[in-house]
Amino acid sequence: MFPADTSPPIPLLYNTRSVPTKLVFGFLARPIYLLYWAEQGALNTMDSASTNQTENCDVAVIGAGPQGLLFATWLKQARPALNVVVVDRAAAPGHKIGESTLSGFCRAMRSTSIRHEVLQRLFYTKNGLGFFYADAQTRALQTAPEYITETFDETFQVERRACDSLLVANAQRAGVAVRFSHAVKPKESTFQAGANHLSCETPQGAATLQARLVVDASGPSSVLGRYFGGYAESNVPFQTSAAWAYFKNVKWLNEYTDWQNVAEFPRDEYTQHLCFKEGWVWYIPIVSWEKASDENLMAMVNYLADPETPMLSRDELSQKFDCPYEQIWSIGIVLRSDRDQVLNQGPEAAFDHYKRKIPALATLLEGAEILDDHYPNHSPYAVRKNFRRFAQQVTGDGWMLIGDAAFFIDPLRSPGLTGGVATAYQALQSVLAALDEGDLSQAQFAGYEAYVRELYDMLEEQNQIAYMSHNYPQAIALVRRFGEVSSRDHFNGICDEPYQMSDTNVWGHLCPEHRQRQRQVWQIMREEEIEVGNRCAIADQQPRDYERMMFRLREAVGAHLDQSMHLTPYIMQNPMEQGKLAPAQVRPKPTWVYPGQGGAPTADLVSGRA
């Protein structure tokens, strides 16, 4: 049973629905600007290293990424007297992959006093998720089978350097100490409930943080997860790998004509997915501030982090702080490791292969120019193999893992920032209770550990369902509708409310009723994929081989989705999409045999744990 919401919500300072999309003010006079930064000098620079070689604090957070900074800021808001220190091995926020945000993450940022208008200025608007079925016969996206999960509220495609810099400035304003150029050395550290000694290497030499609690938010590096020997990267089912690149001069999707269905927003304002049986392609437009210097970027985000400063337009901010920006696109290919090994030939070969295989992808990239050196230390094409992983142990005496340090799920449904911030908020509640009781032992965090396990299992199962839906065009729409119905039913009407415990029931998908239905959907799809795979090689499989899967899915959840049609705006806007879930008249072929006769898949295929 999901834990009851016993804690008061963190106050939200701005109602996003009442904010105009664009507020334009005149420039502040230059002398006033200089006076302002003279007064705010402590926030205009980042702490690169502490002058003290030994520092005492209540809570030390490893990693100055979104989850660590949000956790630290929430903790400081809830307990202002606590000394909270964030350490990061980098010298400053830098480029990372992971641009797509969802409602939960944006609401979490707003709950720490970041204004919604600030996000509108810095980042490209995202209003939902779009999915196309694309194969060799898909000549044009406008005619491809499509489903759009419309937005719950306005979210954004973020450039991580700018996003993380904003969160740093906001955390410092809340009183959190942020120490960059601090590389944690776990082998030289000691961990004990209430008395941790965290050893760090800095440009000035060794430094030690004496902390009652250490929270690892170091992302996939999982500093403590790996140190304690439980961050698994092998034997993970549905393992996937990705190749990606950044482009300019990509033709805007809204310039395409003759779309067969209606969308609420321009199609460029969705994270678009081109889905095929081996994996999928992402399409994300980004406002890039990469050419701005660290100093100028931090000056701009410090200005924006102050809730009292006038809100300028994007162009005014760019000119005022000498922070140039440009429009680029992030485009990547994610492949199931059990279905395609083309990435072994290199990321560029993967792009070339799928441009030949899927004409719609070739059309998408027609005329686009790849950015060779837009980001430092980033080759034109990047690759990351076998990135799905999880920690066997999430808590210990005096320490805990949050976000991607606890588990890393495939990015197909953008779960990283959303699920990660849910772990950060759940961890916050556990930490507050532990501090109040004076007990920071592992036993005190048992509820948090159980929550992380449950969330991982749900998200992993959900991702497998999404990948298996790529076997059949209409299955993509059915699976998306299935998730959207629960999400909209759970979160309707609360988008303007503070981030709270109900948000950690990610998209409402941890509710027992949804979990039961989701397990049924997974079981049907897994059985059918195994059965088809037993009689037909991947290269030879066609959508018609999965007709019975679609028939069974319609029987299982079709009536539920049709009864909930009012919770799927895309279906409501497109009458031709309505009524498609009535059971099809498909009779099973005699050669089709349920895998249960030879041994059905077990729950271990979902969690990857014995």
Side-chain angles (χ1 to χ4, degrees):
M1 198 69 181
F2 195 76
D5 188 353
T6 57
S7 61
I10 292 177
L12 176 63
L13 302 185
Y14 299 95
N15 183 323
T16 61
R17 292 297 186 188
S18 64
V19 184
T21 302
K22 211 162 197 181
L23 302 175
V24 182
F25 292 85
F27 285 114
L28 295 177
R30 183 73 173 176
I32 297 176
Y33 161 71
L34 293 174
L35 176 62
Y36 172 82
W37 283 116
E39 294 173 348
Q40 301 293 329
L43 292 176
N44 194 30
T45 58
M46 289 180 287
D47 297 328
S48 61
S50 172
T51 55
N52 298 322
Q53 294 304 299
T54 299
E55 184 175 5
N56 295 315
C57 64
D58 295 293
V59 178
V61 179
I62 305 172
Q67 315 307 347
L69 292 166
L70 285 170
F71 171 85
T73 305
W74 275 332
L75 184 59
K76 193 67 177 176
Q77 286 178 328
R79 298 285 192 274
L82 290 178
N83 185 3
V84 183
V85 178
V86 177
V87 295
D88 196 284
R89 65 184 178 184
H95 170 68
K96 299 183 184 73
I97 189 69
E99 298 98 353
S100 184
T101 70
L102 296 176
S103 176
F105 178 72
C106 292
R107 292 178 63 215
M109 286 199 290
R110 297 196 300 261
S111 74
T112 64
S113 82
I114 292 174
R115 292 175 287 180
H116 190 76
E117 309 98 288
V118 168
L119 305 180
Q120 291 174 326
R121 301 313 190 272
L122 290 176
F123 307 120
Y124 190 83
T125 293
K126 169 186 171 180
N127 280 311
L129 304 170
F131 299 87
F132 298 100
Y133 178 82
D135 60 13
Q137 283 69 51
T138 308
R139 298 295 171 180
L141 290 180
Q142 304 95 302
T143 59
E146 177 189 28
Y147 187 77
I148 293 176
T149 302
E150 300 285 3
T151 188
F152 301 117
D153 63 351
E154 185 181 48
T155 62
F156 301 92
Q157 311 285 22
V158 301
E159 189 176 48
R160 285 292 301 276
R161 174 173 171 249
C163 181
D164 293 4
S165 295
L166 175 64
L167 289 166
V168 167
N170 192 58
Q172 290 176 320
R173 181 169 291 278
V176 176
V178 183
R179 313 282 188 227
F180 282 92
S181 299
H182 274 54
V184 172
K185 302 295 182 183
K187 292 182 179 180
E188 300 170 16
S189 305
T190 58
F191 299 94
Q192 181 180 348
N196 296 286
H197 296 268
L198 197 63
S199 178
C200 301
E201 181 181 327
T202 79
Q204 287 72 35
T208 301
L209 278 175
Q210 297 182 356
R212 297 166 65 191
L213 175 71
V214 177
V215 176
D216 184 356
S218 60
S221 297
S222 195
V223 172
L224 298 189
R226 295 179 190 277
Y227 174 69
F228 287 105
Y231 204 53
E233 301 176 20
S234 59
N235 300 320
V236 177
F238 270 73
Q239 187 59 274
T240 45
S241 301
W244 67 92
Y246 296 92
F247 298 84
K248 63 180 180 179
N249 298 329
V250 175
K251 182 180 178 181
W252 291 98
L253 294 180
N254 215 44
E255 295 178 9
Y256 291 30
T257 58
D258 302 324
W259 291 100
Q260 65 177 357
N261 281 339
V262 175
E264 185 176 352
F265 298 94
R267 280 177 172 78
D268 298 287
E269 292 186 12
Y270 304 93
T271 298
Q272 295 289 3
H273 309 69
L274 279 66
C275 306
F276 43 90
K277 62 184 178 181
E278 296 89 354
W280 59 286
V281 170
W282 77 68
Y283 167 96
I284 299 176
I286 300 172
V287 175
S288 176
W289 300 90
E290 184 60 25
K291 291 183 179 179
S293 68
D294 286 343
E295 181 182 5
N296 291 356
L297 181 64
M298 282 306 300
M300 182 172 70
V301 297
N302 269 297
Y303 175 89
L304 292 170
D306 184 348
E308 302 300 324
T309 55
M311 187 56 60
L312 306 178
S313 72
R314 185 179 295 161
D315 286 340
E316 289 171 329
L317 288 166
S318 175
Q319 183 175 348
K320 182 181 186 65
F321 294 99
D322 190 19
C323 288
Y325 70 89
E326 60 187 307
Q327 180 64 54
I328 68 171
W329 281 259
S330 172
I331 297 177
I333 300 174
V334 186
L335 299 172
R336 285 176 55 169
S337 300
D338 64 336
R339 291 200 158 185
D340 198 327
Q341 298 296 318
V342 69
L343 275 174
N344 290 337
Q345 303 171 30
E348 186 173 1
F351 267 82
D352 290 341
H353 173 77
Y354 276 97
K355 281 194 293 184
R356 293 191 300 269
K357 188 169 185 176
I358 301 177
L361 176 59
T363 301
L364 186 69
L365 291 173
E366 189 175 320
E369 299 177 46
I370 193 166
L371 296 171
D372 292 338
D373 56 359
H374 186 74
Y375 294 112
N377 303 317
H378 191 286
S379 58
Y381 291 93
V383 64
R384 184 173 297 169
K385 292 187 177 181
N386 301 330
F387 49 67
R388 300 164 85 116
R389 59 197 70 172
F390 58 87
Q392 298 283 2
Q393 183 181 353
V394 179
T395 63
D397 288 338
W399 62 269
M400 63 194 334
L401 314 179
I402 65 174
D404 291 344
F407 60 78
F408 190 88
I409 295 290
D410 186 284
L412 179 53
R413 291 177 59 95
S414 306
L417 292 174
T418 300
V421 78
T423 66
Y425 196 78
Q426 279 276 353
L428 173 73
Q429 309 310 317
S430 293
V431 169
L432 291 175
L435 290 171
D436 289 344
E437 296 180 20
D439 180 5
L440 295 165
S441 68
Q442 183 177 14
Q444 182 69 28
F445 303 132
Y448 171 71
E449 178 117 17
Y451 167 79
V452 172
R453 297 299 181 201
E454 183 181 12
L455 179 62
Y456 170 80
D457 285 346
M458 182 274 285
L459 291 173
E460 179 59 41
E461 183 180 84
Q462 196 173 76
N463 265 271
Q464 292 186 26
I465 287 171
Y467 273 94
M468 291 187 290
S469 76
H470 298 177
N471 289 311
Y472 196 85
Q474 286 71 41
I476 296 173
L478 182 145
V479 165
R480 298 303 161 191
R481 286 181 64 178
F482 174 67
E484 183 181 7
V485 162
S486 293
S487 299
R488 203 171 296 278
D489 185 50
H490 185 73
F491 287 116
N492 257 353
I494 68 168
C495 285
D496 293 338
E497 294 182 10
Y499 193 91
Q500 53 199 281
M501 282 293 281
S502 61
D503 285 277
T504 66
N505 187 354
V506 176
W507 305 310
H509 293 176
L510 288 176
C511 293
E513 183 179 5
H514 180 85
R515 290 290 285 122
Q516 183 177 3
R517 284 199 177 107
Q518 180 172 297
R519 169 56 59 144
Q520 182 184 14
V521 168
W522 176 84
Q523 191 72 28
I524 289 171
M525 300 180 82
R526 188 65 177 144
E527 287 175 356
E528 294 295 333
E529 189 168 276
I530 290 175
E531 192 278 328
V532 173
N534 285 340
R535 61 182 173 81
C536 189
I538 297 297
D540 299 327
Q541 290 180 16
Q542 300 295 325
R544 62 176 178 269
D545 295 312
Y546 288 91
E547 288 177 346
R548 189 180 68 171
M549 178 188 78
M550 190 64 191
F551 176 79
R552 293 179 66 193
L553 290 174
R554 285 173 175 138
E555 285 200 317
V557 296
H560 165 66
L561 298 186
D562 279 339
Q563 291 166 5
S564 306
M565 193 178 299
H566 63 288
L567 295 172
T568 51
Y570 180 74
I571 297 296
M572 296 296 290
Q573 292 176 96
N574 294 284
M576 64 180 294
E577 298 294 328
Q578 299 174 16
K580 287 188 175 180
L581 293 181
Q585 299 303 311
V586 177
R587 293 187 177 277
K589 297 178 181 179
T591 55
W592 285 352
V593 178
Y594 281 92
Q597 297 180 11
T602 67
D604 295 339
L605 288 172
V606 176
S607 68
R609 295 194 297 271

